[in-house]
Amino acid sequence: MRPTNVMKHIYIISFITIMSIFSSNAQAKKRVRTDSPSVPVEAFDAQKYFKHIHNLTEGKYVFNGTTKADFERWQKALREELKVKLGLQKLENELAGYKPTAKQIDSEDIGYALRQRWVIWTEPDVPLTMVVMIPKNIEGKRPLMITPHGHGKNTENYAGIYDNEEERKSGEEGERDVAVQAAKNGFVAIAPAARGFGITRTNEDKKEDATSSCRDYLVNDILIGRTPIGDRVWDISRIIDWAIDNLPVDADKIIVSGNSGGGTITLFAGACDTRIAASLPASYFCTFKGSIGSMYHCECNYIPGILELGEMADIAGLTAPRLFCAIHGKEDNIFPIDETHKAFSHLQTIYKAAGVPDNCELYEGNGGHRYYKQGAWDFIFRHFDK
């Protein structure tokens, strides 16, 4: 007997119902994580759990190519997504065409250079202080070195300006007078205050004489889709805009180099702004998982979802084929050297694929978390004519 139309409809509805049940069960099974058994309450280890979820996250743009074509496709895609993660794309869209303005505060002849204080508005309502050092008795356009600082109350110590003798001794022993080094070597140098430090701290933090307002910037930035790192990269780019227009600098010879938090800014600025010819981050280049993901660091280090893109070496790889030199202490206890070795090995594969393996170096200093000027200037002199 042939089925009637009614019977056909019953068969179809029954089939759909059965398949929906199977589909629901399958989806339910997918939602159940079976990679680790439940543990007794007293055995829970938060640090072990954090490491576990880090390892579960597979970066979409971890570089695994071998050819220059692989490298170019990968780099274009990652840079675009990184700018979104940083909130930098948001800033570029909202402030398209913005040209920074600056006002000079003072100028001092210190023998080998003119040392000037300026305020620059990197956004219409964001003023940053910066020290500009212009070497004397050298004609023509000079290479430019921008030296973002790390965490500390004094935002001018990279320019050799200290609050007391103890600070001077510490700065000189740690070789953090990077702008002074640059000016003495014939470079125009700019030592800017990082956003969240100095005059851009909150009023409460100024009143309490806090080092920075990094946490306030992080929590307010993430509410609107921005990050402190993205803000600071934007600031470096606007300083470059202003310097090219107003100082005797060679736009093809722009270097960024800072220590610790300044190393963070250095690495991300080089990844995002292709006008930067050389990036020399000190006391920072490592793995995210093995440094900021495994021990206490300032809140300004964190970018929501960064491991979804890749590791720190992948971000540094956006600098290729331009110059990159990581400067690192063998005894750095907050950015462990073993993790730096892992990161550098991966970075070398990126530079090799880009066809410029010699443009990427790691200098290891015999000490801890500080700047190592020998590694920096040996690298610069080998690649730049003064």
Side-chain angles (χ1 to χ4, degrees):
M1 183 174 71
R2 298 178 64 183
T4 64
N5 286 336
V6 172
M7 292 177 67
K8 286 181 179 179
H9 289 148
I10 292 172
Y11 293 154
I12 292 169
I13 293 170
S14 298
F15 176 76
I16 292 172
T17 302
I18 291 168
M19 292 306 294
S20 296
I21 292 171
F22 280 127
S23 176
S24 297
N25 288 338
Q27 291 298 321
K29 288 179 180 178
K30 285 182 180 179
R31 288 194 294 268
V32 175
R33 280 173 49 175
T34 59
D35 53 345
S36 59
S38 59
V39 296
V41 171
E42 65 275 10
F44 178 74
D45 184 327
Q47 289 302 124
K48 186 180 292 185
Y49 175 72
F50 297 151
K51 185 175 181 180
H52 174 61
I53 60 174
H54 292 166
N55 290 335
L56 283 178
T57 304
E58 186 176 347
K60 180 180 177 182
Y61 293 103
V62 172
F63 184 76
N64 59 9
T66 57
T67 69
K68 191 169 184 178
D70 293 336
F71 162 76
E72 290 173 346
R73 284 192 298 269
W74 164 85
Q75 188 178 68
K76 183 178 186 297
L78 174 54
R79 182 176 288 122
E80 290 176 356
E81 290 216 25
L82 175 63
K83 284 187 172 184
V84 173
K85 287 280 190 190
L86 291 174
L88 192 56
Q89 189 63 61
K90 180 180 176 69
L91 272 166
E92 290 179 353
N93 292 340
E94 292 176 351
L95 293 173
Y98 176 71
K99 292 184 71 67
T101 57
K103 177 182 178 181
Q104 186 173 340
I105 305 302
D106 61 29
S107 181
E108 179 184 6
D109 187 331
I110 55 173
Y112 60 89
L114 294 177
R115 187 167 65 190
Q116 305 169 343
R117 283 188 174 95
W118 289 76
V119 175
I120 182 170
W121 281 262
T122 56
E123 292 185 50
D125 49 359
V126 178
L128 296 182
T129 57
M130 61 182 181
V131 180
V132 177
M133 302 183 73
I134 303 173
K136 292 171 59 179
N137 306 318
I138 298 178
E139 297 182 357
K141 293 189 174 182
R142 310 302 306 152
L144 168 66
M145 191 165 182
I146 301 175
T147 64
H149 63 82
H151 286 72
K153 290 181 183 178
N154 184 352
T155 65
E156 298 181 329
N157 60 358
Y158 277 31
I161 301 171
Y162 302 101
D163 292 334
N164 52 61
E165 197 57 34
E166 182 180 352
E167 190 178 82
R168 176 187 299 277
K169 182 179 179 181
S170 174
E172 291 178 352
E173 287 179 354
E175 299 179 335
R176 287 185 292 273
D177 56 344
V178 190
V180 172
Q181 298 166 28
K184 286 183 174 179
N185 281 305
F187 287 62
V188 172
I190 300 178
R195 190 183 300 211
F197 292 78
I199 64 173
T200 55
R201 290 172 297 170
T202 65
N203 288 336
E204 182 179 356
D205 284 337
K206 290 175 187 175
K207 182 178 179 180
E208 296 180 358
D209 196 28
T211 296
S212 72
S213 298
C214 291
R215 184 184 182 280
D216 296 88
Y217 276 86
L218 175 70
V219 297
N220 285 283
D221 269 347
I222 61 178
L223 288 174
I224 61 167
R226 283 168 49 176
T227 64
I229 291 177
D231 293 348
R232 292 167 184 173
V233 170
W234 168 267
D235 294 338
I236 293 294
S237 292
R238 302 294 71 78
I239 290 169
I240 291 173
D241 291 344
W242 177 83
I244 290 172
D245 287 344
N246 295 278
L247 298 177
V249 299
D250 185 339
D252 294 324
K253 295 181 179 179
I254 298 173
I255 303 171
V256 181
S257 185
N259 190 70
S260 192
T264 309
I265 300 170
T266 297
L267 187 142
F268 280 91
C272 295
D273 193 328
T274 58
R275 295 174 298 177
I276 297 169
S279 300
L280 289 81
S283 299
Y284 177 67
F285 182 66
C286 199
T287 64
F288 292 129
K289 293 176 184 177
S291 58
I292 66 169
S294 63
M295 63 191 78
Y296 174 80
H297 281 264
C298 179
E299 293 90 343
C300 66
N301 282 280
Y302 298 91
I303 301 163
I306 190 64
L307 285 175
E308 294 175 325
L309 298 186
E311 258 290 356
M312 193 186 298
D314 297 295
I315 307 305
L318 295 178
T319 307
R322 292 167 290 131
L323 299 166
F324 184 94
C325 180
I327 302 164
H328 215 81
K330 295 177 183 178
E331 299 172 15
D332 192 323
N333 59 3
I334 60 174
F335 293 97
I337 192 66
D338 288 346
E339 293 295 317
T340 297
H341 290 158
K342 291 179 189 176
F344 186 66
S345 177
H346 184 54
L347 183 61
Q348 285 178 304
T349 67
I350 297 173
Y351 268 79
K352 182 178 179 181
V356 286
D358 294 337
N359 283 5
C360 159
E361 292 186 15
L362 169 62
Y363 176 85
E364 297 183 37
N366 292 316
H369 189 76
R370 45 159 289 189
Y371 199 80
Y372 296 89
K373 67 180 182 181
Q374 181 178 341
W377 291 103
D378 282 354
F379 181 82
I380 291 169
F381 290 148
R382 278 187 279 112
H383 292 282
F384 282 79
D385 295 325
K386 286 204 297 177

